[in-house]
mmCIF file of all heavy atoms in Angstrom:
data_model
loop_
_atom_site.group_PDB
_atom_site.id
_atom_site.type_symbol
_atom_site.label_atom_id
_atom_site.label_comp_id
_atom_site.label_asym_id
_atom_site.label_seq_id
_atom_site.Cartn_x
_atom_site.Cartn_y
_atom_site.Cartn_z
ATOM 1 N N ALA B 73 26.089 1.380 -11.327
ATOM 2 C CA ALA B 73 25.851 2.170 -10.115
ATOM 3 C C ALA B 73 24.368 2.210 -9.782
ATOM 4 O O ALA B 73 23.962 1.951 -8.633
ATOM 5 C CB ALA B 73 26.397 3.586 -10.305
ATOM 6 N N ALA B 74 23.539 2.511 -10.796
ATOM 7 C CA ALA B 74 22.100 2.594 -10.554
ATOM 8 C C ALA B 74 21.548 1.229 -10.156
ATOM 9 O O ALA B 74 20.685 1.130 -9.269
ATOM 10 C CB ALA B 74 21.386 3.112 -11.797
ATOM 11 N N GLY B 75 22.052 0.178 -10.795
ATOM 12 C CA GLY B 75 21.586 -1.170 -10.478
ATOM 13 C C GLY B 75 21.875 -1.533 -9.034
ATOM 14 O O GLY B 75 21.026 -2.086 -8.332
ATOM 15 N N ILE B 76 23.106 -1.203 -8.559
ATOM 16 C CA ILE B 76 23.455 -1.510 -7.166
ATOM 17 C C ILE B 76 22.611 -0.668 -6.215
ATOM 18 O O ILE B 76 22.050 -1.181 -5.241
ATOM 19 C CB ILE B 76 24.961 -1.260 -6.926
ATOM 20 C CG1 ILE B 76 25.789 -2.293 -7.694
ATOM 21 C CG2 ILE B 76 25.281 -1.353 -5.438
ATOM 22 C CD1 ILE B 76 27.272 -2.105 -7.586
ATOM 23 N N ALA B 77 22.487 0.627 -6.529
ATOM 24 C CA ALA B 77 21.754 1.520 -5.624
ATOM 25 C C ALA B 77 20.299 1.085 -5.498
ATOM 26 O O ALA B 77 19.776 0.910 -4.391
ATOM 27 C CB ALA B 77 21.838 2.957 -6.135
ATOM 28 N N VAL B 78 19.641 0.899 -6.647
ATOM 29 C CA VAL B 78 18.219 0.563 -6.608
ATOM 30 C C VAL B 78 18.009 -0.872 -6.130
ATOM 31 O O VAL B 78 17.053 -1.169 -5.422
ATOM 32 C CB VAL B 78 17.580 0.781 -7.999
ATOM 33 C CG1 VAL B 78 16.136 0.331 -8.003
ATOM 34 C CG2 VAL B 78 17.676 2.238 -8.400
ATOM 35 N N GLY B 79 18.936 -1.759 -6.508
ATOM 36 C CA GLY B 79 18.763 -3.163 -6.149
ATOM 37 C C GLY B 79 18.953 -3.429 -4.669
ATOM 38 O O GLY B 79 18.329 -4.322 -4.103
ATOM 39 N N SER B 80 19.833 -2.653 -4.010
ATOM 40 C CA SER B 80 20.167 -3.012 -2.630
ATOM 41 C C SER B 80 19.286 -2.296 -1.605
ATOM 42 O O SER B 80 19.265 -2.692 -0.444
ATOM 43 C CB SER B 80 21.646 -2.712 -2.349
ATOM 44 O OG SER B 80 21.893 -1.342 -2.520
ATOM 45 N N VAL B 81 18.564 -1.270 -2.018
ATOM 46 C CA VAL B 81 17.654 -0.602 -1.084
ATOM 47 C C VAL B 81 16.235 -1.060 -1.386
ATOM 48 O O VAL B 81 15.707 -0.779 -2.450
ATOM 49 C CB VAL B 81 17.759 0.936 -1.203
ATOM 50 C CG1 VAL B 81 16.835 1.605 -0.202
ATOM 51 C CG2 VAL B 81 19.184 1.379 -0.993
ATOM 52 N N ARG B 82 15.670 -1.755 -0.446
ATOM 53 C CA ARG B 82 14.403 -2.439 -0.674
ATOM 54 C C ARG B 82 13.294 -1.491 -1.145
ATOM 55 O O ARG B 82 12.616 -1.750 -2.138
ATOM 56 C CB ARG B 82 14.014 -3.116 0.650
ATOM 57 C CG ARG B 82 12.658 -3.734 0.690
ATOM 58 C CD ARG B 82 12.713 -5.203 0.403
ATOM 59 N NE ARG B 82 11.411 -5.599 -0.093
ATOM 60 C CZ ARG B 82 10.589 -6.392 0.554
ATOM 61 N NH1 ARG B 82 10.951 -6.917 1.684
ATOM 62 N NH2 ARG B 82 9.417 -6.684 0.054
ATOM 63 N N LEU B 83 13.146 -0.366 -0.445
ATOM 64 C CA LEU B 83 12.044 0.556 -0.741
ATOM 65 C C LEU B 83 12.201 1.130 -2.147
ATOM 66 O O LEU B 83 11.255 1.174 -2.946
ATOM 67 C CB LEU B 83 12.015 1.676 0.303
ATOM 68 C CG LEU B 83 10.845 2.647 0.168
ATOM 69 C CD1 LEU B 83 9.537 1.936 0.440
ATOM 70 C CD2 LEU B 83 11.016 3.826 1.100
ATOM 71 N N LEU B 84 13.460 1.537 -2.442
ATOM 72 C CA LEU B 84 13.760 2.107 -3.752
ATOM 73 C C LEU B 84 13.398 1.111 -4.854
ATOM 74 O O LEU B 84 12.809 1.452 -5.876
ATOM 75 C CB LEU B 84 15.262 2.413 -3.793
ATOM 76 C CG LEU B 84 15.723 3.722 -4.419
ATOM 77 C CD1 LEU B 84 14.951 4.875 -3.850
ATOM 78 C CD2 LEU B 84 17.209 3.900 -4.217
ATOM 79 N N ARG B 85 13.764 -0.143 -4.609
ATOM 80 C CA ARG B 85 13.526 -1.184 -5.609
ATOM 81 C C ARG B 85 12.030 -1.386 -5.834
ATOM 82 O O ARG B 85 11.555 -1.445 -6.960
ATOM 83 C CB ARG B 85 14.176 -2.476 -5.136
ATOM 84 C CG ARG B 85 14.241 -3.544 -6.193
ATOM 85 C CD ARG B 85 15.010 -4.725 -5.682
ATOM 86 N NE ARG B 85 14.255 -5.466 -4.691
ATOM 87 C CZ ARG B 85 14.780 -5.990 -3.595
ATOM 88 N NH1 ARG B 85 16.052 -5.829 -3.330
ATOM 89 N NH2 ARG B 85 14.032 -6.671 -2.769
ATOM 90 N N ASP B 86 11.291 -1.478 -4.724
ATOM 91 C CA ASP B 86 9.850 -1.721 -4.838
ATOM 92 C C ASP B 86 9.162 -0.586 -5.585
ATOM 93 O O ASP B 86 8.268 -0.815 -6.398
ATOM 94 C CB ASP B 86 9.228 -1.885 -3.453
ATOM 95 C CG ASP B 86 9.579 -3.226 -2.850
ATOM 96 O OD1 ASP B 86 10.044 -4.078 -3.626
ATOM 97 O OD2 ASP B 86 9.401 -3.412 -1.642
ATOM 98 N N VAL B 87 9.589 0.654 -5.285
ATOM 99 C CA VAL B 87 8.909 1.798 -5.898
ATOM 100 C C VAL B 87 9.321 1.951 -7.356
ATOM 101 O O VAL B 87 8.484 2.195 -8.226
ATOM 102 C CB VAL B 87 9.226 3.086 -5.105
ATOM 103 C CG1 VAL B 87 8.675 4.299 -5.829
ATOM 104 C CG2 VAL B 87 8.638 2.988 -3.707
ATOM 105 N N LEU B 88 10.618 1.792 -7.627
ATOM 106 C CA LEU B 88 11.115 2.158 -8.956
ATOM 107 C C LEU B 88 11.028 1.059 -10.000
ATOM 108 O O LEU B 88 10.971 1.350 -11.193
ATOM 109 C CB LEU B 88 12.576 2.620 -8.848
ATOM 110 C CG LEU B 88 12.801 3.964 -8.172
ATOM 111 C CD1 LEU B 88 14.276 4.299 -8.171
ATOM 112 C CD2 LEU B 88 12.025 5.054 -8.899
ATOM 113 N N SER B 89 11.015 -0.217 -9.570
ATOM 114 C CA SER B 89 11.200 -1.256 -10.592
ATOM 115 C C SER B 89 10.154 -1.248 -11.710
ATOM 116 O O SER B 89 10.532 -1.460 -12.859
ATOM 117 C CB SER B 89 11.359 -2.636 -9.976
ATOM 118 O OG SER B 89 10.362 -2.896 -9.071
ATOM 119 N N PRO B 90 8.864 -0.969 -11.446
ATOM 120 C CA PRO B 90 7.958 -0.930 -12.610
ATOM 121 C C PRO B 90 8.332 0.163 -13.607
ATOM 122 O O PRO B 90 8.226 -0.035 -14.820
ATOM 123 C CB PRO B 90 6.580 -0.665 -11.995
ATOM 124 C CG PRO B 90 6.800 -0.315 -10.597
ATOM 125 C CD PRO B 90 8.117 -0.815 -10.186
ATOM 126 N N TYR B 91 8.809 1.317 -13.083
ATOM 127 C CA TYR B 91 9.221 2.394 -13.984
ATOM 128 C C TYR B 91 10.434 1.968 -14.819
ATOM 129 O O TYR B 91 10.499 2.232 -16.019
ATOM 130 C CB TYR B 91 9.566 3.651 -13.181
ATOM 131 C CG TYR B 91 8.373 4.301 -12.541
ATOM 132 C CD1 TYR B 91 8.145 4.190 -11.183
ATOM 133 C CD2 TYR B 91 7.473 5.012 -13.310
ATOM 134 C CE1 TYR B 91 7.043 4.781 -10.596
ATOM 135 C CE2 TYR B 91 6.369 5.611 -12.735
ATOM 136 C CZ TYR B 91 6.154 5.487 -11.373
ATOM 137 O OH TYR B 91 5.063 6.065 -10.815
ATOM 138 N N VAL B 92 11.387 1.333 -14.138
ATOM 139 C CA VAL B 92 12.598 0.910 -14.847
ATOM 140 C C VAL B 92 12.234 -0.086 -15.951
ATOM 141 O O VAL B 92 12.691 0.032 -17.095
ATOM 142 C CB VAL B 92 13.607 0.279 -13.863
ATOM 143 C CG1 VAL B 92 14.801 -0.289 -14.612
ATOM 144 C CG2 VAL B 92 14.075 1.318 -12.865
ATOM 145 N N ILE B 93 11.385 -1.074 -15.608
ATOM 146 C CA ILE B 93 11.003 -2.083 -16.595
ATOM 147 C C ILE B 93 10.266 -1.424 -17.772
ATOM 148 O O ILE B 93 10.507 -1.741 -18.940
ATOM 149 C CB ILE B 93 10.094 -3.161 -15.955
ATOM 150 C CG1 ILE B 93 10.803 -3.833 -14.781
ATOM 151 C CG2 ILE B 93 9.658 -4.192 -16.974
ATOM 152 C CD1 ILE B 93 11.954 -4.707 -15.150
ATOM 153 N N ALA B 94 9.389 -0.457 -17.448
ATOM 154 C CA ALA B 94 8.636 0.214 -18.514
ATOM 155 C C ALA B 94 9.580 0.991 -19.428
ATOM 156 O O ALA B 94 9.478 0.919 -20.654
ATOM 157 C CB ALA B 94 7.594 1.144 -17.910
ATOM 158 N N LEU B 95 10.533 1.716 -18.820
ATOM 159 C CA LEU B 95 11.471 2.496 -19.633
ATOM 160 C C LEU B 95 12.360 1.582 -20.472
ATOM 161 O O LEU B 95 12.734 1.918 -21.589
ATOM 162 C CB LEU B 95 12.345 3.373 -18.730
ATOM 163 C CG LEU B 95 11.636 4.574 -18.123
ATOM 164 C CD1 LEU B 95 12.567 5.308 -17.178
ATOM 165 C CD2 LEU B 95 11.174 5.516 -19.221
ATOM 166 N N TYR B 96 12.704 0.414 -19.895
ATOM 167 C CA TYR B 96 13.514 -0.558 -20.622
ATOM 168 C C TYR B 96 12.741 -1.086 -21.829
ATOM 169 O O TYR B 96 13.290 -1.269 -22.905
ATOM 170 C CB TYR B 96 13.873 -1.695 -19.666
ATOM 171 C CG TYR B 96 14.675 -2.825 -20.249
ATOM 172 C CD1 TYR B 96 15.595 -2.617 -21.269
ATOM 173 C CD2 TYR B 96 14.543 -4.124 -19.755
ATOM 174 C CE1 TYR B 96 16.338 -3.658 -21.777
ATOM 175 C CE2 TYR B 96 15.287 -5.167 -20.260
ATOM 176 C CZ TYR B 96 16.185 -4.932 -21.276
ATOM 177 O OH TYR B 96 16.914 -5.968 -21.781
ATOM 178 N N GLY B 97 11.435 -1.270 -21.646
ATOM 179 C CA GLY B 97 10.641 -1.939 -22.671
ATOM 180 C C GLY B 97 10.204 -1.058 -23.830
ATOM 181 O O GLY B 97 10.070 -1.539 -24.947
ATOM 182 N N ILE B 98 9.978 0.246 -23.571
ATOM 183 C CA ILE B 98 9.404 1.038 -24.661
ATOM 184 C C ILE B 98 10.454 1.287 -25.746
ATOM 185 O O ILE B 98 11.634 1.415 -25.453
ATOM 186 C CB ILE B 98 8.817 2.379 -24.164
ATOM 187 C CG1 ILE B 98 9.921 3.275 -23.622
ATOM 188 C CG2 ILE B 98 7.721 2.163 -23.168
ATOM 189 C CD1 ILE B 98 9.476 4.704 -23.448
ATOM 190 N N PRO B 99 10.005 1.342 -27.004
ATOM 191 C CA PRO B 99 10.939 1.592 -28.104
ATOM 192 C C PRO B 99 11.514 3.005 -27.984
ATOM 193 O O PRO B 99 10.768 3.982 -28.020
ATOM 194 C CB PRO B 99 10.076 1.472 -29.360
ATOM 195 C CG PRO B 99 8.794 0.878 -28.943
ATOM 196 C CD PRO B 99 8.635 1.145 -27.492
ATOM 197 N N LYS B 100 12.838 3.069 -27.814
ATOM 198 C CA LYS B 100 13.457 4.384 -27.600
ATOM 199 C C LYS B 100 13.439 5.245 -28.856
ATOM 200 O O LYS B 100 13.598 6.460 -28.780
ATOM 201 C CB LYS B 100 14.870 4.200 -27.079
ATOM 202 C CG LYS B 100 14.863 3.914 -25.610
ATOM 203 C CD LYS B 100 15.883 2.891 -25.200
ATOM 204 C CE LYS B 100 15.468 2.165 -23.960
ATOM 205 N NZ LYS B 100 14.599 1.004 -24.239
ATOM 206 N N ILE B 101 13.202 4.607 -29.999
ATOM 207 C CA ILE B 101 13.165 5.370 -31.253
ATOM 208 C C ILE B 101 12.104 6.462 -31.180
ATOM 209 O O ILE B 101 12.219 7.494 -31.836
ATOM 210 C CB ILE B 101 12.894 4.429 -32.442
ATOM 211 C CG1 ILE B 101 12.958 5.153 -33.779
ATOM 212 C CG2 ILE B 101 11.530 3.775 -32.333
ATOM 213 C CD1 ILE B 101 14.307 5.266 -34.332
ATOM 214 N N LEU B 102 11.065 6.245 -30.354
ATOM 215 C CA LEU B 102 9.985 7.227 -30.288
ATOM 216 C C LEU B 102 10.445 8.564 -29.728
ATOM 217 O O LEU B 102 9.885 9.599 -30.049
ATOM 218 C CB LEU B 102 8.825 6.677 -29.446
ATOM 219 C CG LEU B 102 8.088 5.495 -30.072
ATOM 220 C CD1 LEU B 102 7.063 4.937 -29.118
ATOM 221 C CD2 LEU B 102 7.423 5.914 -31.361
ATOM 222 N N VAL B 103 11.459 8.554 -28.843
ATOM 223 C CA VAL B 103 11.933 9.823 -28.294
ATOM 224 C C VAL B 103 13.091 10.394 -29.098
ATOM 225 O O VAL B 103 13.533 11.502 -28.850
ATOM 226 C CB VAL B 103 12.368 9.710 -26.809
ATOM 227 C CG1 VAL B 103 11.170 9.492 -25.931
ATOM 228 C CG2 VAL B 103 13.395 8.635 -26.621
ATOM 229 N N LEU B 104 13.572 9.632 -30.087
ATOM 230 C CA LEU B 104 14.729 10.111 -30.858
ATOM 231 C C LEU B 104 14.486 11.463 -31.536
ATOM 232 O O LEU B 104 15.343 12.352 -31.445
ATOM 233 C CB LEU B 104 15.157 9.048 -31.873
ATOM 234 C CG LEU B 104 16.310 9.450 -32.780
ATOM 235 C CD1 LEU B 104 17.540 9.772 -31.956
ATOM 236 C CD2 LEU B 104 16.631 8.361 -33.769
ATOM 237 N N PRO B 105 13.334 11.672 -32.200
ATOM 238 C CA PRO B 105 13.131 12.989 -32.817
ATOM 239 C C PRO B 105 13.259 14.123 -31.804
ATOM 240 O O PRO B 105 13.869 15.152 -32.090
ATOM 241 C CB PRO B 105 11.709 12.899 -33.381
ATOM 242 C CG PRO B 105 11.492 11.462 -33.639
ATOM 243 C CD PRO B 105 12.242 10.748 -32.553
ATOM 244 N N TRP B 106 12.727 13.903 -30.608
ATOM 245 C CA TRP B 106 12.782 14.947 -29.597
ATOM 246 C C TRP B 106 14.218 15.179 -29.127
ATOM 247 O O TRP B 106 14.649 16.321 -28.930
ATOM 248 C CB TRP B 106 11.890 14.575 -28.412
ATOM 249 C CG TRP B 106 11.642 15.715 -27.501
ATOM 250 C CD1 TRP B 106 10.971 16.867 -27.799
ATOM 251 C CD2 TRP B 106 12.099 15.853 -26.165
ATOM 252 N NE1 TRP B 106 10.978 17.701 -26.716
ATOM 253 C CE2 TRP B 106 11.662 17.107 -25.694
ATOM 254 C CE3 TRP B 106 12.844 15.030 -25.310
ATOM 255 C CZ2 TRP B 106 11.935 17.555 -24.415
ATOM 256 C CZ3 TRP B 106 13.105 15.482 -24.034
ATOM 257 C CH2 TRP B 106 12.656 16.733 -23.588
#
Side-chain angles (χ1 to χ4, degrees):
Chain B
I76 292 177
V78 175
S80 61
V81 182
R82 173 97 204 247
L83 184 66
L84 222 50
R85 192 175 72 220
D86 286 345
V87 173
L88 289 181
S89 50
Y91 291 105
V92 174
I93 302 291
L95 287 176
Y96 178 32
I98 65 166
K100 280 141 207 86
I101 185 85
L102 292 174
V103 290
L104 177 60
W106 194 64

